Amino acid sequence: MAKDKNRPVFTCRGCGHTQPKWMGRCPSCGEWNTFIEGEAVRKTGAARDAAKIPKEAVLLSSVEASEGIRLGSTLTELDRVLGGGIVRGSTILVGGEPGIGKSTLMLQTAAGLGMRYRTLYLSGEESPGQIRRRADRLGLDSKNLHIFAETELSLVDGCLRRLDPELLIVDSIQTLHSPDLGAVPGTINQIKFCCHEIAEWARQRGASVFFIGHVTKEGAIAGPKIIEHMVDTVLYFDQSGGDIRFLRAAKNRFGSVDEIGLFSMGEKGLAQVADPSALFLVEREGSLPPGVVPAPVYEGSRVLLVEIQALTVPAKGGLSRVYSDRIDPGRVSRIAAVLEKHASLRFSDQDVYVNVAGGIRLTEVGIELPLAMALYSARTGLCFPGNTTVSGEVSLAGEIRPVPHFRRRLRAAAEMGFTAFIGPEKPGDEEDAAEGWIRAASVTQSIQKVFAPQKNSGERAEVNS
Ligand code: TYD
Ligand code: MG
């Protein structure tokens, strides 16, 4: 018998069973009051997996391992941070301050994925007209993208069941509310409840969801932190000074949290920064000023050349302080202490300022030796040579320890035109020698190799005492 398209379909929310008339109890799973009117929920991805989830404890070895299917977006920088694309059936939180570009990022993602997957952009912040205008301005082909401007959860729920999207964007989780929990959206309970309901739908359906969450400055609405534990992946979008916007993973059930995605905001929305190796390097004529040291750092799977800057001035009131927001101040103090002990430099009567050009925050160990060189250069007024870079971890005893991916750092620096590279005696896992590699076992040796020629020639910039 041919199916009549106009005949109503009722779907069990619990198991996805469908039938032509409403029933109080599902004949398939036995649950009560689970039927809703609407199209069948297609069981794909996680829903299929969910159906296979045993109701009793089993031996782990008897469970079939399933490799998650990933959807590739049109933004490779986003895919990189996610660990190689969006895992089907996963929930992703994208947090960031208002105005950072979350809606822009997600609209670009949704339009790209909308060409291949049924995609719904749920907006509680902007009208469909506003979103259309933005999409047109960004030059996005949005003809396959579904838009729904609604904030009430039960209406959203109905839409999800009718449209049955494979990808859902919720902009933002703070605008959703369920009348069962009061009239005010954005309360902790509302956010948690709405997130839970949608995540549950996604798990059953095998759909992927992006929740946008505004990071708020202690305001009336709760921040995205409260739902971090309820999602698979947490991304934060931020801009720590400079033009570049950074997308980082704070939690990732399906990949590492080391990768960063780099974007710049322009006329046509967010542009990806494809080759960032020289992005943070400052173009300079002639020699470097004192306190400035270029260094290759390893961020995720890429080497970036950065410029570390240090400045020391006599401490106000005799009490020395460290001002550093791009490198942990504790680490700066530790490296300064190593220099006091092993290079006989006094920092205890100095205020120390440390900065990284371009606003990138650095956490990897390889910046310790460049930081030591920058502090030494700032304190003595001796300039770091412009053709040289440096990388290494510094121990409390003043030794230089190997850093990961030594050769890749060396190669990246060479590509940028650096001819000398101060590094540890042993490069770690990679053994053979390389051109331009100057080995140093300790901070003092490194200082000697870099600064001794200048010291001897009497060259010195003006230093404060
Ligand atoms: P938006 O994505 O709305 O930020 P969020 O959703 O995180 O609050 O956009 C942020 C800013 O970007 C906004 O101030 C306008 C600016 N912008 C551009 O400069 N170019 C563009 O093409 C777009 C869409 C926005
Ligand atoms: Mg927005």
Side-chain angles (χ1 to χ4, degrees):
M1 199 175 76
K3 245 187 173 173
D4 180 359
K5 278 208 171 130
N6 297 322
R7 257 174 66 180
V9 177
F10 292 88
T11 309
C12 170
R13 285 202 213 206
C15 67
H17 173 78
T18 60
Q19 55 171 49
K21 67 178 198 319
W22 188 88
M23 285 179 91
R25 186 176 189 194
C26 175
S28 170
C29 67
E31 287 296 313
W32 288 92
N33 285 329
T34 52
F35 276 101
I36 51 153
E37 188 171 358
E39 266 179 31
V41 179
R42 265 200 296 135
K43 281 194 186 178
T44 54
R48 248 196 327 252
D49 288 346
K52 277 195 236 155
I53 295 174
K55 300 278 181 284
E56 289 291 335
V58 292
L59 282 173
L60 187 57
S61 56
S62 71
V63 180
E64 235 179 88
S66 58
E67 178 64 25
I69 303 161
R70 290 184 187 257
L71 321 179
S73 79
T74 43
L75 296 171
T76 47
E77 289 293 291
L78 172 67
D79 290 352
R80 166 199 299 282
V81 178
L82 289 172
I86 303 155
V87 172
R88 194 187 275 271
S90 67
T91 46
I92 301 156
L93 168 67
V94 180
E97 291 193 353
I100 189 71
K102 300 180 295 298
S103 300
T104 310
L105 178 71
M106 283 298 112
L107 188 60
Q108 287 178 232
T109 307
L113 284 161
M115 307 300 279
R116 285 174 289 147
Y117 307 99
R118 194 158 48 256
T119 303
L120 173 64
Y121 196 105
L122 174 67
S123 178
E125 309 217 328
E126 288 156 305
S127 69
Q130 282 175 309
I131 298 172
R132 173 70 200 269
R133 274 197 298 284
R134 174 181 291 195
D136 287 350
R137 197 156 42 79
L138 297 176
L140 298 174
D141 183 352
S142 55
K143 64 175 181 293
N144 289 326
L145 181 60
H146 298 267
I147 294 287
F148 189 40
E150 182 51 61
T151 56
E152 215 230 85
L153 190 64
S154 63
L155 300 175
V156 169
D157 191 56
C159 174
L160 291 180
R161 299 199 186 259
R162 283 188 302 276
L163 181 69
D164 189 29
E166 292 159 280
L167 180 72
L168 169 69
I169 317 274
V170 180
D171 187 2
S172 64
I173 187 66
Q174 281 123 329
T175 59
L176 281 189
H177 70 106
S178 168
D180 302 345
L181 296 172
V184 189
T187 61
I188 291 177
N189 280 348
Q190 288 279 18
I191 292 176
K192 283 190 170 172
F193 181 73
C194 295
C195 177
H196 176 266
E197 291 294 290
I198 290 182
E200 198 51 33
W201 163 82
R203 205 177 65 83
Q204 299 259 333
R205 163 65 182 83
S208 311
V209 183
F210 282 98
F211 292 105
I212 293 180
H214 293 294
V215 172
T216 54
K217 299 226 167 61
E218 284 149 65
I221 52 174
K225 270 234 166 309
I226 54 166
I227 53 166
E228 279 187 351
H229 67 286
M230 298 166 78
V231 295
D232 297 313
T233 300
V234 178
L235 307 182
Y236 279 99
F237 203 26
D238 78 279
Q239 181 183 23
S240 43
D243 289 337
I244 300 299
R245 283 153 212 243
F246 301 89
L247 187 65
R248 297 170 208 272
K251 158 181 170 180
N252 192 355
R253 217 163 256 169
F254 308 110
S256 87
V257 290
D258 297 332
E259 296 286 351
I260 58 170
L262 301 167
F263 296 90
S264 63
M265 180 71 88
E267 286 272 296
K268 289 247 175 254
L270 291 161
Q272 311 194 74
V273 182
D275 180 17
S277 50
L279 193 66
F280 302 100
L281 211 54
V282 183
E283 288 272 334
R284 294 185 190 280
E285 297 279 321
S287 62
L288 299 174
V292 168
V293 172
V297 296
Y298 203 77
E299 274 290 339
S301 55
R302 292 183 288 205
V303 179
L304 311 176
L305 265 297
V306 298
E307 183 181 288
I308 296 173
Q309 306 165 347
L311 173 72
T312 60
V313 291
K316 295 162 207 77
L319 201 65
S320 130
R321 289 193 59 179
V322 172
Y323 301 86
S324 173
D325 52 0
R326 310 279 154 77
I327 297 176
D328 176 34
R331 180 174 267 185
V332 175
S333 301
R334 178 159 55 79
I335 299 298
V338 170
L339 287 173
E340 285 221 34
K341 178 79 181 169
H342 299 284
S344 313
L345 273 189
R346 238 170 82 174
F347 286 96
S348 52
D349 55 354
Q350 300 285 309
D351 279 341
V352 177
Y353 295 83
V354 171
N355 188 28
V356 182
I360 188 167
R361 277 198 311 262
L362 301 178
T363 50
E364 70 129 327
V365 291
I367 54 150
E368 292 184 347
L369 186 57
L371 177 61
M373 296 298 103
L375 289 172
Y376 185 90
S377 166
R379 188 71 184 95
T380 59
L382 296 168
C383 300
F384 192 82
N387 68 337
T388 306
T389 59
V390 55
S391 189
E393 186 184 347
V394 172
S395 77
L396 286 183
E399 306 140 313
I400 301 173
R401 293 181 32 77
V403 289
H405 308 286
F406 182 76
R407 184 159 308 273
R408 286 193 56 189
R409 294 173 198 248
L410 228 140
R411 212 183 307 130
E415 276 168 18
M416 302 314 307
F418 292 96
T419 51
F421 188 100
I422 313 263
E425 277 214 304
K426 292 202 183 73
D429 43 353
E430 300 135 308
E431 280 304 325
D432 50 329
E435 212 178 311
W437 174 19
I438 302 164
R439 296 161 194 253
S442 64
V443 174
T444 18
Q445 261 190 26
S446 173
I447 288 170
Q448 266 195 335
K449 291 187 175 176
V450 176
F451 298 103
Q454 271 180 72
K455 234 180 187 167
N456 298 341
S457 72
E459 247 177 72
R460 184 182 279 245
E462 207 165 289
V463 214
N464 46 66
S465 55

